[in-house]
Amino acid sequence: MRILALAGRRLAASIPTLFLILVGIFLLLQFAPGDTVDAMLAQMGGGDAVTAQQLRQFYGLDLSVPARLGQYLLRLVQLDLGFSAIYGKPVAIVIAERLPPTLLLMTAALSFAFFAGLVLGVLAARRVNRWPDTLISTLGLVFYATPSFWFGLMAIVVFSIYLQWLPAGGFEDITSLQTGIWRTLDIARHLVLPTLTLGLIFLAIYLRIMRASMLEVLNLDFVRTARAKGLDETRVVVRHVLRNALLPMVTLIGLQAGTMLGGSVVVESVFSLPGLGRLAYESVVQRDLNTLLGIVFVSAILVIVVNFVVDLLYARLDPRISAGG
Amino acid sequence: MTDSRLEMKRRTLLMTSAAMAASVLMPERVFAQATPRRGGVFAVHYGAEQRQLNPSLQASTGVYIIGGKIQEPLVDLDANGNPVGVLAERWETTPDGKTITFHLRRGIRWHDGKPFTSADVQFSAMAMWKKILNYGTTLQLFLTAVDTPDAHTAVFRYERPMPLNLLLRALPDLGYVSAKHLYESGNIRQNPYNLAPVGTGPFKFVQYERGQHVIADRNNEYWREGMPYLDRIVWRVITDRSAAAAQLEAGQLHYSPFSGITISDIARLGKDPRFIVSTKGNEGNARTNTLEFNFRRKELSDIRVRRAIAHAINVPFFIDNFLGDFAKLGTGPIPSVSKDFYPDDNGPQYPYDKAKAMRLLDEAGLKPGAGGVRLSVRLLPAPWGEDISLWSTFVQQSLGEVGIKVDVVRNDGAGFLKQVYAEHAFDLATGWHQYRSDPAVSTTVWYRSGQPPGAPWTNQWGWTDPTMDKIIDDAATEVDPVKRKALYAKFQQRANSEIPIWTPIEQIFVTTISVKARNHSNTPRWGSSTWHDLWLAE
């Protein structure tokens, strides 16, 4: 019951934020020169003024800005995300189609980053200021500082062009349409390189946070007590330190949920994946307001949900924090 | 001429070396290659997804590259660039040029089994080409009716004379036929078949996964005996140019059309024996880089200033150092590949001459002020290609040397069109002018006055020239091909002497294709054509 109350309060608090974000983006896009018809003419390579006028009517652009904003919000209340100009179908369907690849890629990349970061962070903290620590920290920095498109392209050059182990891009093999387990394996094969490329950047962040947090907890009194009562080092680290050091990592996951749904334009472009990041980018370039607002709306809802789950997780990891408090 | 010779040499060299490599590695295949092999999946790079795939409704290479395999036009161009019948077998016109009759091929069926008839042609012409299709609306402005005396004859009636040659040159792009029975009810623009096209072509639409791929399979009932050879075509959506080059190298793609990869990757793959890199098969898609002047800016309405700007820019240097083998010096809006209309005399040209440029600016009363600046202008480059971006920087630096300070203002596609062609918020703009087989299709609108604001790629310069308007209007309805050619020579000369826009560089799109592909690039608009005879060697 307390959880439900908390959920209700959270949701109520986020409605004004959501409203402000949507109105803000709507207005911001009005400042961008050109509308979706200009974008369409640019794509077609030409068209006359009559065609353009017909198209503006078709997309409802002949109305005033407040009228269009009002219409949009009214539809949103009825949970109707509108019609996508570039895709010619309802926004909800467009987003639903793009969700699975995005979620798959982002979950894989974040899990990889989380667990690899956790292990490497613990290793670095245990051997602080000795060569494993230096090596791990330097590698982390290198991954973090390297642009992801370069990483992606180099991975393609090495693994797809020279070694020919993995496909260079795409979500699945379309020259032969597969089903069942073979399709799953095929998609997994296609996601290895993008996951690594995206994961390596997140990895650096998790690694640094984990290392710092481990070092901090290792110096606390209760760790000395644990050691004093004769526990071996592994047990001290796993049972006492790790659990406490995990809190900042969980916070970070909560924060990055937004990034997760936003996808990664760069990695999706380099590996030709049909993700939400590319969709959002395209919507801006094509001035497809409905699609863009739809993505923002869905992302915002997801962030609210994930942060709620994170709050619950806190309470589980550290009983001193009460979810209601 | 030297440029095209270079290009030829390079191409033959490539092809020869590829053939030699093939004959050394697999001698038994050399002979087998003469007979087309059936089967295989051809993978094509699809760079920019469009909102729909029906070429009766949208004239652009991004639609033809897919829709052009599924739907067919009345007429296409043959290897020599002459009109050849596809859905139409033959045609004739009356002496007054107001009636053009097409005799249609018999026994053709749509992919859904219904017969193709003159009613489809009538519907496509009146409801699509005349009302919706970009450039079609202008071309068919004076089309009053299409009569269908029988199921295999379509008679086009025009209010003003329509030159037969113009129509035949335009129809390969603007004459795709859609099925009446699928479109006659409901809003044409929202018809679901726009994204799942049904045609008469060699390939049948199978699947379109947005952001991923389009698939089309062989049409076993195709009207050309024994064709097509391929089992399937897949178009992979790849927005990143470098990623597309990587997929070509990894063997996931066979073909990247219309300069779809970066200039440096084109140069690199040009040396790779696994690929053929060439402009062949794209002659129908010639374009010129432009410099567009806004006459509302008083200084730029002075012909001396425009000429000075043209003289101040070293175009051959730019081509040699930035664009490479596939570009050459432009000589006017009608490019040199236009066999029918390229004139012997192009009118005045503007070779690089910095001293002359400064002299002209002095004469125009633009003396150097503080910091040597004579004039400050805003240059808006279009975001269509790498070359435009490089060119705008080059213009900026070149003009800086003669005392014209240039601010480069970069926008995305929608922003560029709005600011230049609707709001006229530019001094200089630069982009591409696309030449489509006949100057009346999409070239003369760049010069004819009276274009409504907001129509992109038209005369929005604030330039009105009665002489030019008369030449353009006369040529559009002149039915005698010789007289028409002479009028377009005058058009070219006038365009070059007044330079409301300057067209200093001529380019043809570059094809990058696997050496395994056969029967490719064999017509001037091959990338857009049906590919019925394309096959893949082992």
Side-chain angles (χ1 to χ4, degrees), chain A residues 33 36 38 41-46 48-49 54-55 59 86-87 168-169 171 174 269-270 272 274 278 286-287, chain B residues 49-51 58-60 134-135 137 189-190 210-213 237-238 240 243 246-247 252 412 415 417-418 452 457:
Chain A
T36 194
D38 291 312
L41 292 176
Q43 211 182 35
M44 299 194 320
D48 53 69
Q54 282 174 359
L55 282 168
Y59 289 123
I86 39 176
Y87 286 77
F171 187 61
I174 42 168
S269 302
V270 169
S272 331
R278 246 174 70 198
Q286 300 271 325
R287 307 281 192 274
Chain B
E49 277 180 282
Q50 310 284 313
R51 297 184 192 189
Q58 181 176 328
S60 65
N134 51 318
Y135 296 114
T137 48
R189 285 186 207 280
Q190 271 175 314
R210 281 287 191 155
Q212 293 190 64
H213 59 253
V237 178
I238 306 164
D240 187 274
Q247 294 207 15
Q252 278 186 288
D412 63 5
L417 292 187
K418 181 86 173 177
W457 299 288

Side-chain angles (χ1 to χ4, degrees), chain A residues 71-83 90-92 297:
Chain A
Q71 268 187 357
Y72 183 80
L73 293 173
L74 199 69
R75 276 203 319 264
L76 200 61
V77 174
Q78 303 157 17
L79 288 181
D80 174 9
L81 291 178
F83 201 77
V91 170
F297 184 73

Side-chain angles (χ1 to χ4, degrees), chain B residues 2 39 372 496 507:
Chain B
T2 51
N496 277 331
Q507 295 194 68

Side-chain angles (χ1 to χ4, degrees), chain A residues 31-53:
Chain A
F31 287 116
D35 56 25
T36 194
V37 174
D38 291 312
M40 190 177 172
L41 292 176
Q43 211 182 35
M44 299 194 320
D48 53 69
V50 181
T51 316
Q53 201 197 343

